[in-house]
């Protein structure tokens, strides 16, 4: 069996974090379905990603296994060649000194140790900095988190809070994420948090964790923005279809990394929090977290919908009073000159350095608006809701989106997508009257 056919079904992450020493001791227990391929394929090595912390011991179904860790990979030799389709329990004990990993642009990502705790924002490939992960976009799993921290501190993760118990100078927090989740969307945040529970639309349990280390103004701003969260969830559900998960909430941190991330069910926010950021990260629960892209090159499908959701929210909240309508916001992007960097990126084929380029966000949203203008409101809403519904929990590509758009609209959209998605250069915006799109 090739390593890529691994299917991790569940991660049980038992972590102990020493905040002062920035030291993580972990035990990860993975329920793996070893196979899924043809019956005659024999299991080879099990290859997981683990970059930073060192593996100390590995067991398969309770028996010690041989392993080696090189170049960010943990290669485990099966104890005895298991049959394809067999379920394995792989247990990895590991530990490491945690720091502040940065990506090619100098942005911190992965497990980020701070003076007051830790936060995890792992897009695109930061998960292996804190647990042995099958770090691909096509393998979702459920998670249990058991996190031991210095007494008085709080550990916040995805999903539902199981509870906490105090023992000596340590407190252990447990969380359960029952909605299958990609590795980069898993998060654990450690700090001094105020936990606030509420009930959202559809009866969804909402749990917010707001750092007590924020200054007074930032705390006020965060509380004001979070007060809109139930309304934003309802707005997004009315727009795209039912909220896809069983829990919701927010984590607001004191250490400002300059960006937020759509960690599943509970996005991580920086100190400065406003309603449009919440709209953006919650929209990702539908587009990115539930409907997940198959390769990072398709990231415009995540960011385009997230930014377009911001435009729709702005239109509703501020459109009439401040002129911030969806049309005005689309016009603002469309009217950027031909020399603007956003026209230099092929939306369906960004380089790794371009993954988080403004083009992916702004041109992505504009492309959705242009599509709406081209196929009309009825077809657009039918398309986007069908997209969220039929691909919930799965993986998609740009080709899938194009196919569904043609199917729903009954139009040949080859020329449209070639101009808006598969090209560098500014599309001929004059052929699409962006100003005449109307909300319905
Ligand atoms: Zn985003």
């Amino acid at each position: 069996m090739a390593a890529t056919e691994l299917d991790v079904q569940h991660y049980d992450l038992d972590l102990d974090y020493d905040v002062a020493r920035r030291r993580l001791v972990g035990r990860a227990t993975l329920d793996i379905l070893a196979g899924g391929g043809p019956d005659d394929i024999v299991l080879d090595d099990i290859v997981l990603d683990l970059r930073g912390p060192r593996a100390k011991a590995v067991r398969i179904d309770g028996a010690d296994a041989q392993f080696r860790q090189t170049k960010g990979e943990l290669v485990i030799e099966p104890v005895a060649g298991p049959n394809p389709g067999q379920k394995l329990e792989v247990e990895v004990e590991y530990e490491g000194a945690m720091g502040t990993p940065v990506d090619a642009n100098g942005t911190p990502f992965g497990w980020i140790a701070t003076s007051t705790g830790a936060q995890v924002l792992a897009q695109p490939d930061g998960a292996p900095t804190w647990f042995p992960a099958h770090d691909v976009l096509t393998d979702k799993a459920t998670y249990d988190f058991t996190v031991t921290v210095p007494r008085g501190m709080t550990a916040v993760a995805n999903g539902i809070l199981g509870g906490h118990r105090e023992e000596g100078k340590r407190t252990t927090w447990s969380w359960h994420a029952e909605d299958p989740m990609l590795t980069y969307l898993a998060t654990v945040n450690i700090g001094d948090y105020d936990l606030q529970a509420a009930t959202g639309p559809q009866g969804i349990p909402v749990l917010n964790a707001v750092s007590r280390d924020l200054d007074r103004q930032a705390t006020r701003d965060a509380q004001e923005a979070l007060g809109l969260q139930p309304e934003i969830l309802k707005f997004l559900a009315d727009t795209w279809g039912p909220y896809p998960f069983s829990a919701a909430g927010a984590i607001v941190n004191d250490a400002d990394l300059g960006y937020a991330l759509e960690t599943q069910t509970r996005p991580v926010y920086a100190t400065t929090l406003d309603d449009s950021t919440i709209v953006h990260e919650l929209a990702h629960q539908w587009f990115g977290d539930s409907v997940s892209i198959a390769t990072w090159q398709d990231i415009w499908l995540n960011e385009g919908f997230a930014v377009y959701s911001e435009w729709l929210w702005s239109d509703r909240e501020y459109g009439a009073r401040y002129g911030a309508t969806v049309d005005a916001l689309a016009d603002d992007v469309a009217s950027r000159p031909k020399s603007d960097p956003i026209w230099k990126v092929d939306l369906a084929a960004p380089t790794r350095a371009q993954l988080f380029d403004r083009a992916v966000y702004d041109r992505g949203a504009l492309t959705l608006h242009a599509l709406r203008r081209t196929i009309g409101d009825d077809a657009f809403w039918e398309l986007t809701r069908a997209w969220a519904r039929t691909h919930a929990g799965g993986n998609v590509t740009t080709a899938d989106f194009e196919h569904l758009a043609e199917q729903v609209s009954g139009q040949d959209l080859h020329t449209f997508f070639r101009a808006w998605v598969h090209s560098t250069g500014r599309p001929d915006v004059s052929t699409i009257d962006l100003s005449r799109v109307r909300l319905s």
Side-chain angles (χ1 to χ4, degrees):
M1 195 204 78
T4 48
E5 289 177 55
L6 276 186
D7 174 9
V8 180
Q9 300 191 309
H10 184 75
Y11 290 88
D12 191 322
L13 303 179
D14 192 341
L15 310 175
D16 191 317
Y17 189 60
D18 183 330
V19 172
R21 291 203 179 87
R22 303 190 175 195
R23 187 151 196 89
L24 179 70
V25 177
R27 190 178 66 238
T29 309
L30 285 61
D31 293 337
I32 292 178
L33 196 59
D39 284 356
D40 57 348
I41 296 175
V42 176
L43 183 71
D44 213 356
D45 293 336
I46 297 168
V47 182
L48 300 172
D49 302 287
L50 183 61
R51 201 171 61 240
R54 303 300 299 175
K56 298 289 177 189
V58 176
R59 283 178 287 276
I60 298 178
D61 293 330
D64 288 333
Q66 296 291 314
F67 65 94
R68 60 186 187 277
Q69 192 177 357
T70 62
K71 295 178 182 153
E73 286 188 344
L74 177 62
V75 182
I76 303 165
E77 295 174 23
V79 177
N83 299 315
Q86 183 176 328
K87 281 190 173 181
L88 300 174
E89 187 187 86
V90 174
E91 191 182 344
V92 181
E93 287 181 19
Y94 61 101
E95 61 181 80
M98 308 307 275
T100 308
V102 292
D103 67 12
N105 304 319
T107 307
F109 81 125
W111 180 289
I112 300 154
T114 68
S115 58
T116 53
Q119 41 183 309
V120 173
L121 298 89
Q123 191 185 36
D125 58 356
T129 64
W130 66 287
F131 68 96
H134 186 215
D135 197 28
V136 297
L137 284 169
T138 48
D139 188 4
K140 295 186 182 186
T142 54
Y143 286 71
D144 276 300
F145 304 91
T146 307
V147 188
T148 300
V149 294
R151 188 177 180 127
M153 299 194 83
T154 303
V156 187
N158 315 82
I160 303 281
L161 174 61
H164 71 285
R165 61 171 199 276
E166 289 177 343
E167 213 175 299
K169 293 182 173 172
R170 315 289 283 160
T171 305
T172 300
W173 295 80
S174 59
W175 296 82
H176 176 64
E178 67 181 24
D179 302 303
M181 174 164 77
L182 290 174
T183 49
Y184 82 92
L185 296 169
T187 193
V188 164
N189 293 253
I190 295 166
D192 183 9
Y193 292 103
D194 187 10
L195 296 183
Q196 303 155 353
T199 303
Q202 303 165 225
I204 302 158
V206 176
L207 188 62
N208 301 324
V210 180
S211 170
R212 289 200 180 95
D213 294 318
L214 292 176
D215 67 39
R216 195 171 296 179
Q217 185 62 45
T219 304
R220 261 203 302 269
D221 292 348
Q223 297 298 2
E224 190 184 331
L226 289 175
L228 290 168
Q229 200 171 226
E231 196 184 330
I232 291 170
L233 282 167
K234 183 177 184 310
F235 169 76
L236 292 170
D238 289 346
T239 306
W240 306 122
Y243 181 71
F245 302 126
S246 55
I251 301 165
V252 186
N253 282 319
D254 61 318
D256 199 339
L257 304 173
Y259 70 107
L261 186 65
E262 62 268 25
T263 41
Q264 191 161 305
T265 66
R266 192 161 291 112
V268 174
Y269 297 100
T271 46
T272 46
L273 182 56
D274 57 23
D275 57 338
S276 72
T277 309
I278 294 179
V279 170
H280 183 104
E281 305 309 337
L282 290 183
H284 275 310
Q285 304 303 308
W286 280 259
F287 306 107
D289 295 12
S290 173
V291 179
S292 300
I293 50 177
T295 75
W296 287 110
Q297 273 65 49
D298 292 313
I299 191 170
W300 80 274
L301 288 168
N302 293 0
E303 302 304 343
F305 273 104
V307 173
Y308 197 56
S309 298
E310 288 183 58
W311 292 2
L312 295 170
W313 171 262
S314 169
D315 191 295
R316 194 189 88 153
E317 290 294 297
Y318 313 111
R321 255 169 84 195
Y322 301 102
T325 61
V326 69
D327 304 318
L329 294 164
D331 279 342
D332 184 54
V333 177
S335 60
R336 289 185 204 167
K338 278 190 166 150
S339 58
D340 193 282
I342 72 160
W343 308 122
K344 309 282 187 219
V345 176
D346 181 333
L347 265 194
T351 64
R352 190 179 162 101
Q354 291 171 334
L355 285 185
F356 304 108
D357 198 284
R358 280 321 302 178
V360 168
Y361 291 70
D362 295 346
R363 188 174 168 185
L366 180 63
T367 295
L368 292 176
H369 198 58
L371 177 64
R372 181 175 160 190
R373 181 65 190 115
T374 302
I375 65 177
D377 275 5
D378 290 349
F380 180 78
W381 296 120
E382 189 186 336
L383 161 67
T384 51
R385 285 167 194 159
W387 181 247
R389 187 180 62 246
T390 58
H391 295 291
N395 285 101
V396 292
T397 64
T398 296
D400 293 332
F401 186 70
E402 294 173 9
H403 180 73
L404 190 62
E406 292 197 325
Q407 202 178 47
V408 170
S409 68
Q411 292 184 31
D412 179 350
L413 296 168
H414 178 82
T415 308
F416 173 89
F417 283 114
R418 196 180 51 202
W420 283 88
V421 177
H422 300 280
S423 68
T424 53
R426 184 177 154 194
D428 183 2
V429 291
S430 68
T431 60
I432 293 162
D433 186 354
L434 293 162
S435 68
R436 291 189 53 200
V437 177
R438 287 284 163 263
L439 288 171
S440 60

